Structure formats: C-alpha cells, structure tokens
Amino acid sequence: EAQVTQNPRYLITVTGKKLTVTCSQNMNHEYMSWYRQDPGLGLRQIYYSMNVEVTDKGDVPEGYKVSRKEKRNFPLILESPSPNQTSLYFCASSPTGLGDTQYFGPGTRLTVL
Amino acid sequence: GENVEQHPSTLSVQEGDSAVIKCTYSDSASNYFPWYKQELGKRPQLIIDIRSNVGEKKDQRIAVTLNKTAKHFSLHITETQPEDSAVYFCAAIPSGSARQLTFGSGTQLTVLP
C-alpha cells in the first residue's frame, strides 16, 4: 500500500531533550516536506527536500533540523525542544514537487513541557 | 513572500445547500492553487486544484474558480452532505518557487442535518 508513515504518533517530552520524528514514504517520491499545524494558523512549512541531500528552509525553520540521506526517509530533529514547539506535525511527499498532489502522513502530536 | 487569507473561518450550512469558501493571495505570479480537506483527527487530503491558466475546474459536487485579476480563488461545494463537514485549507505556491506552499488558516465547515 502506497503511504507516508510517521513515528511516533504521540509524544510528550520535556524542554531541552533532543527528539526525532521519523517520516518514511514508499512511493519513490522526490519531494518531501514537514509542516506544523496550530489552531488558527493553518499549516506552516518547516523544511522541505527536493531530493536526496537537498534540503531547504520553509517559513518556520527555527529550532528544527532535517536530513535526507535516503530518498524514502526525511526525519525531523528537534535538538532542544521548547514549549512553543508543542504542535501537530505532518510530513508530506509528492512525486516531483508542489505542483503534484501532496500525500500527508498521519501526523505526530508533540507536547513539550 | 506569499500571503494567503481565507474566509470565513467557520461556516455552517443546511444539508443540501451550497457552501463557498474564498481565499485571496498576494503574489500575482502565483500559479498553482490546491484545496485540502481535513476531517477531524485525520490528515489533510487534496480534493481539487487549479492552475493559473484555467478559470474554473469542476469535480462532481466540488468546483474551484480563479480570478487572477482580483487575486482570489474560491471553493464551491454544492448539495452539501454531512460527510462534507471538515476543515478546508486553500494554498498557493509563490512565484519562482515550486518548492514552498503557503496555506490559508482554514475554514471549519459544518453541514447541519
């Protein structure tokens, strides 16, 4: 089944404790992206990747890192999480770029205490 | 950068009536405008999109119209059904970028039985 998966789905952590949210797609898509969703703000893009070893900042990259060592994986890293990073995070992928349909993962609900 | 404004933030309609959601964008060179539907607790899913060389696009009960001069585009849902209840997001790709997607803040549509 073609899909985008994220893990974990739910995470409660404390300020300053490094964490990684994994994202994987099995559709051989070139483009992958991370978004955060906050009430009243819609979806805001954090980072995106056009292909392996090619990543770039979105609208709200502060406090986040990403890597794209393999085509299928695009992990989101929070080196020192803070409470303002409490949010719902979505990973998405599309075949070549944003002019294609984006397929979203199921989301990761992160709470930073 | 691109700025996308979406109205209304909440919309209630009687089953069978039509619903219209409007978005305005700031970058006159934006050329791709997707609409996503997000049901409660689920991931966003693309329902329809339109490109700047087209004025209107229909898919069964859903249509999107684009007015490039006024820089706005609208989602029209006819003969609404309870399963249309969800949050709808519009989005736009800024000029010069096929990599970043700017979303509106979302519209909570409730279809009343």
Side-chain angles (χ1 to χ4, degrees), chain A residues 71-103:
Chain A
K71 197 170 188 178
R72 63 183 293 127
N73 296 323
F74 190 45
L76 180 69
I77 303 155
L78 284 73
E79 294 270 2
S80 183
S82 62
N84 64 12
Q85 293 178 298
T86 292
S87 188
L88 178 60
Y89 291 87
F90 286 101
C91 178
S93 73
S94 63
T96 56
L98 288 172
D100 298 319
T101 301
Q102 282 203 98
Y103 296 87

Side-chain angles (χ1 to χ4, degrees), chain A residues 4 31 35 37 40-43 45 48 50 57-59 88 90 97-102 104-106, chain B residues 32 34 36 38 41-46 49 51 87 89 93 97-106:
Chain A
V4 179
Y31 181 94
Y35 297 90
Q37 183 175 17
L41 296 177
L43 291 146
Q45 193 170 37
Y48 60 92
M50 293 298 291
K57 297 177 181 178
D59 293 323
L88 178 60
F90 286 101
L98 288 172
D100 298 319
T101 301
Q102 282 203 98
F104 283 81
Chain B
Y32 177 64
Y36 284 82
Q38 186 179 26
K42 301 286 183 63
R43 70 194 77 186
Q45 290 189 299
L46 180 74
D49 57 13
R51 299 182 191 276
V87 178
F89 292 99
I93 293 182
S97 171
R99 308 171 182 186
Q100 286 187 261
L101 195 60
T102 301
F103 283 85
S105 54

Side-chain angles (χ1 to χ4, degrees), chain B residues 8-21 80 84-86 88 107-113:
Chain B
S9 57
T10 60
L11 178 61
S12 294
V13 299
Q14 291 294 139
E15 184 176 354
D17 287 351
S18 296
V20 181
I21 302 169
T80 53
D84 294 329
S85 294
Y88 292 81
T107 296
Q108 173 68 62
L109 173 65
T110 303
V111 179
L112 304 168

